[in-house]
Amino acid sequence: MSKHIEVNGRLVQADKRYNDLKQRQKSHISQWLYDAYKKQVAENMTDDEALAPVFDKIDEAQIWIPEREIRKIYRSKKTKFKKRMEATVLKDSFKFDYNAAANYWLNKDVNSQKMPREQVLERITAFIEAHNTCTLATASEDHVRCTPIEYNFVDNRFYFFSEGGLKFRGLKKNKHVGMAIYEPYNGFGNLKSLQIEGMASLVEPFSDEYLKVRNIRRFLRLQ
């Protein structure tokens, strides 16, 4: 049976525990204790000195909880508070160098042995012709779309037949596109892929260019 005492004219539970408080009250106290811990570490304070403002805030919020319970909770949370402080400091000190990351492979490629350009183009063309599906990336403002789609490679150009889709939201304002052609991942050293950037344009339906690609596509399907 709970024991009760009178505090400031109120009858309160003498053995009230932290877990008996409402969630909102516990959230407030937890934040006050964390603030107290940060100040204690910064100013090399004792527990009593650090907790004094916490007790004042608890009284102002008219929350009843025995001081001994708060002291116990504070001691139990110190390890957690320490880790939280360290994580915050690490996060604040971490500044990612996007330019260095973007240039990582370009810098590594500076001193690499180069294949003759003609041979590179031959291998690129062979890789493209050995596949027929890619991921097509379009973007505009806050909208980005990556669409798996079949392509036709004709006269060194990529052609796509599409009934529609959200990729056209990006193409309406931004004709810059990216493509990725790749094989299933089988280890980084065996990875085979090709990334392509370029400008997209719409081909008028039933124009000579449209009919030429359509006929080639139909022929390839029949083979």
Side-chain angles (χ1 to χ4, degrees), residues 136-141 160 167-179 196-203:
L136 177 67
T138 58
S140 179
E141 298 173 348
F160 309 92
K167 56 185 169 290
F168 288 97
R169 181 184 295 177
L171 289 172
K172 181 180 179 181
K173 295 183 178 181
N174 180 15
K175 298 298 189 290
H176 291 86
V177 299
M179 285 177 55
I196 305 160
E197 296 180 8
M199 298 288 290
S201 61
L202 297 179
V203 177

Side-chain angles (χ1 to χ4, degrees), residues 12 29 53 59 61 95 125 159 182 195:
V12 297
I29 292 175
D59 289 340
K95 292 183 179 180
T125 301
Y159 290 88
Y182 47 89
Q195 295 190 64

Side-chain angles (χ1 to χ4, degrees), residues 128 131-135 147-151 179-182:
I128 293 171
H131 300 78
N132 66 353
T133 307
C134 72
T135 300
T147 306
I149 189 170
E150 180 186 14
Y151 65 79
M179 285 177 55
I181 306 170
Y182 47 89

Side-chain angles (χ1 to χ4, degrees), residues 33 59 67 80 86 88 109 121 144 150 198 222:
L33 290 176
D59 289 340
E67 289 189 2
K80 182 178 179 180
E86 291 173 346
T88 301
D109 190 53
L121 293 176
V144 179
E150 180 186 14
L222 291 174

Side-chain angles (χ1 to χ4, degrees), residues 93-220:
S93 63
F94 176 72
K95 292 183 179 180
F96 188 76
D97 191 336
Y98 284 90
N99 291 328
N103 293 322
Y104 177 77
W105 289 108
L106 294 176
N107 293 333
K108 289 198 69 171
D109 190 53
V110 170
N111 298 319
S112 64
Q113 187 175 357
K114 304 296 190 299
M115 185 184 295
R117 178 178 174 81
E118 294 75 15
Q119 192 174 350
V120 172
L121 293 176
E122 286 178 5
R123 292 202 175 188
I124 290 175
T125 301
F127 187 80
I128 293 171
E129 293 178 344
H131 300 78
N132 66 353
T133 307
C134 72
T135 300
L136 177 67
T138 58
S140 179
E141 298 173 348
D142 61 348
H143 174 78
V144 179
R145 189 76 172 175
C146 263
T147 306
I149 189 170
E150 180 186 14
Y151 65 79
N152 296 101
F153 189 61
V154 180
D155 297 334
N156 291 324
R157 293 183 179 184
F158 290 93
Y159 290 88
F160 309 92
F161 285 86
S162 175
E163 296 177 344
L166 291 176
K167 56 185 169 290
F168 288 97
R169 181 184 295 177
L171 289 172
K172 181 180 179 181
K173 295 183 178 181
N174 180 15
K175 298 298 189 290
H176 291 86
V177 299
M179 285 177 55
I181 306 170
Y182 47 89
E183 295 185 351
Y185 184 79
N186 187 27
F188 189 79
N190 299 319
L191 183 62
K192 293 183 180 180
S193 63
L194 181 66
Q195 295 190 64
I196 305 160
E197 296 180 8
M199 298 288 290
S201 61
L202 297 179
V203 177
E204 182 180 346
F206 304 107
S207 63
D208 291 342
E209 184 178 11
Y210 175 94
L211 294 174
K212 176 182 178 180
V213 176
R214 190 186 68 172
N215 290 335
I216 292 175
R217 181 169 182 258
R218 182 178 298 167
F219 174 73
L220 291 173

